[in-house]
Amino acid sequence: MKYYIIAGEASGDLHGSNLMKALYQEDSNADIRFWGGNLMQDVGGTLVKHYKELAFMGFVEVLFHLKTILNNITICKKDITAFQPDVIVFIDYPGFNLRIAKWAKEAGFKTHYYISPQIWAWKESRITDIKRDIDKMYVILPFEKDFYEGKHHFPVEFVGHPLIDAIHNQPIVDGDVFRKENQLNDKPIIAILPGSRKQEITKMLSVMLSVVNDFPEYQFVIAGAPSQEFSFYEGFITNENITFVSNQTYPLLQNATAALVTSGTATLETALFKVPEVVCYKGSSISYQIAKRIITLKYISLVNLIMDKEVVTELIQENCNTKRIREELKKILDSNYRQVLLHQYDVLEEKLGGIGASQKTAKLIVGDL
């Protein structure tokens, strides 16, 4: 069978790579063409476009890159037409993928969606497009099944969260080896996860690192995104207690005592690695003001959304400042507070459905074909 997969960012590349591995196990003759990144490319198939050419965030940023986005849509349609896949699998990235899905459904292609767009957070009106254009939907968050089936009468499959697979399959990196290879000292590590896109990294790193001098007994290690060069981060390394590792977020989290994390998938990854965290977010003023009027969720981190209560502290916009980060970091370094938080992380993992999301999804896709 021929599979066309579209992932538009780093998290989609991770989940797309695990889905591809499972598809190759389910279908030994699988021919896969995809939009994604290095992880998917390492599995096999044919890369059409790398996600770093696609990743634009925020309302204003998207407007500035509208011409590029429209051009990519045209390229994608032409490539699908030439390839003639048996199924198109969309992974998150709704602004792009739902446009392709509308065209693909009209053109007679099978349309499967793995990792639902977060329409429960905003743009709930997209349910109309999803019902019209998507043949099968595979959701990864427990509350999404009730949202789609209970509220919108659209059948979906809850397959569990693929991050559990990704973390379960991650080889354990010895702490001494990790420190030696990355020229780190013996101090406990506070991981800094500032995101993967230049706009958010630039916004977040300065404020996250503003507390370094308040914690001299720790070393702050920046998790460099695979899509960015070291030269981009170099200007932020202004202190001997600030270091950097590139494309090693999981080994870093395995060896971290605590973490400061920009909102997004990384908040859930950090929790599943059982690392106490503070969630930080600052967007451009215009984008934030627009988002505040559209998004009605109580929380911005996946940890709190899944648990439906504040498990990890969220410091958003003006609250994301040196004073508040210092206070909350001290709190999660306290042993008593950490034990309570780690217990909540165990409950969170249970809610996410255990291992096997990628394999379940691949079986359902191949079975449908």
Side-chain angles (χ1 to χ4, degrees):
M1 295 289 183
K2 295 166 78 173
Y3 305 84
Y4 200 98
I5 303 174
I6 306 174
E9 50 202 345
S11 60
D13 181 36
L14 172 65
H15 303 320
S17 68
N18 287 323
L19 178 63
M20 285 171 65
K21 289 173 190 173
L23 284 171
Y24 281 129
Q25 289 174 5
E26 295 296 323
D27 178 2
S28 58
N29 296 314
D31 182 5
I32 302 177
R33 195 168 175 86
F34 63 91
W35 294 46
N38 296 350
L39 295 176
M40 294 172 77
Q41 197 168 20
D42 288 344
V43 176
T46 303
L47 174 67
V48 180
K49 249 187 193 302
H50 200 288
Y51 70 78
K52 64 185 177 184
E53 298 180 56
L54 312 174
F56 307 111
M57 66 174 292
F59 302 96
V60 177
E61 292 85 356
V62 167
L63 285 174
F64 277 127
H65 295 95
L66 191 57
K67 184 178 179 181
T68 301
I69 293 167
L70 293 174
N71 186 50
N72 285 334
I73 289 171
T74 301
I75 291 169
C76 188
K77 290 177 181 178
K78 287 181 179 177
D79 196 60
I80 292 170
T81 302
F83 185 57
Q84 288 293 303
D86 294 291
V87 63
I88 303 169
V89 182
F90 304 100
I91 300 181
D92 201 0
Y93 199 52
F96 186 90
N97 275 336
L98 286 175
R99 285 180 172 83
I100 298 297
K102 181 178 187 297
W103 166 85
K105 183 70 172 178
E106 291 171 352
F109 293 105
K110 275 185 177 286
T111 55
H112 289 205
Y113 217 120
Y114 176 45
I115 306 180
S116 163
Q118 295 178 352
I119 64 169
W120 38 265
W122 73 301
K123 289 195 174 180
E124 191 169 343
S125 60
R126 280 176 165 167
I127 186 63
T128 303
D129 297 339
I130 288 170
K131 282 179 153 182
R132 182 190 64 217
D133 301 328
I134 302 302
D135 296 319
K136 300 285 182 180
M137 174 72 80
Y138 311 107
V139 301
I140 64 172
L141 298 172
F143 60 79
E144 289 178 322
K145 187 170 178 66
D146 183 60
F147 171 82
Y148 276 107
E149 296 187 344
K151 186 174 184 181
H152 292 292
H153 312 293
F154 179 66
V156 299
E157 294 279 357
F158 172 60
V159 294
H161 206 294
L163 272 182
I164 296 178
D165 289 352
I167 290 169
H168 179 78
N169 295 330
Q170 176 71 21
I172 296 173
V173 178
D174 179 79
D176 292 336
V177 173
F178 176 72
R179 289 167 187 269
K180 186 175 180 181
E181 287 181 348
N182 293 285
Q183 300 178 314
L184 305 180
N185 59 41
D186 293 332
K187 292 179 179 180
I189 292 170
I190 294 175
I192 304 293
L193 278 61
S196 60
R197 304 179 184 95
K198 282 189 175 180
Q199 299 103 313
E200 65 184 345
I201 295 168
T202 301
K203 280 270 183 195
M204 297 310 306
L205 266 182
S206 294
V207 67
M208 285 174 151
L209 294 172
S210 67
V211 299
V212 169
N213 291 333
D214 297 300
F215 299 89
E217 66 275 32
Y218 294 88
Q219 59 184 319
F220 289 69
V221 183
I222 302 167
S227 56
Q228 308 298 341
E229 300 295 329
F230 171 68
S231 56
F232 173 67
Y233 296 92
E234 204 166 4
F236 295 98
I237 304 173
T238 58
N239 186 301
E240 63 179 10
N241 269 352
I242 302 172
T243 51
F244 171 88
V245 298
S246 179
N247 197 19
Q248 296 184 70
T249 301
Y250 282 8
L252 174 60
L253 288 173
Q254 284 180 354
N255 290 282
T257 298
L260 302 177
V261 187
T262 297
S263 67
T265 305
T267 63
L268 184 56
E269 290 173 310
T270 303
L272 292 174
F273 273 105
K274 309 299 165 68
V275 180
E277 66 182 301
V278 180
V279 177
C280 308
Y281 180 76
K282 271 195 174 196
S284 71
S285 297
I286 296 174
S287 291
Y288 176 71
Q289 290 302 323
I290 295 171
K292 193 166 68 168
R293 286 159 175 75
I294 296 173
I295 299 171
T296 57
L297 296 174
K298 289 188 288 184
Y299 308 109
I300 65 167
S301 72
L302 282 171
V303 175
N304 293 342
L305 284 168
I306 294 163
M307 294 292 284
D308 195 27
K309 63 180 181 179
E310 187 175 75
V311 172
V312 296
T313 299
E314 299 178 351
L315 301 178
I316 306 169
Q317 215 64 6
E318 65 272 7
N319 286 323
C320 186
N321 58 58
T322 304
K323 180 176 180 292
R324 291 289 288 116
I325 293 173
R326 184 193 305 121
E327 291 171 352
E328 294 302 327
L329 186 51
K330 282 181 179 177
K331 189 187 293 184
I332 64 172
L333 291 170
D334 174 78
S335 58
N336 292 328
Y337 186 87
R338 290 169 67 84
Q339 288 308 309
V340 174
L341 187 53
L342 293 174
H343 172 69
Q344 291 298 313
Y345 284 175
D346 290 338
V347 176
L348 169 74
E349 189 166 345
E350 288 177 18
K351 281 178 172 280
L352 288 173
I355 64 173
S358 305
Q359 208 69 42
K360 289 175 197 169
T361 306
K363 281 182 182 291
L364 289 166
I365 293 171
V366 174
D368 182 70
L369 296 181

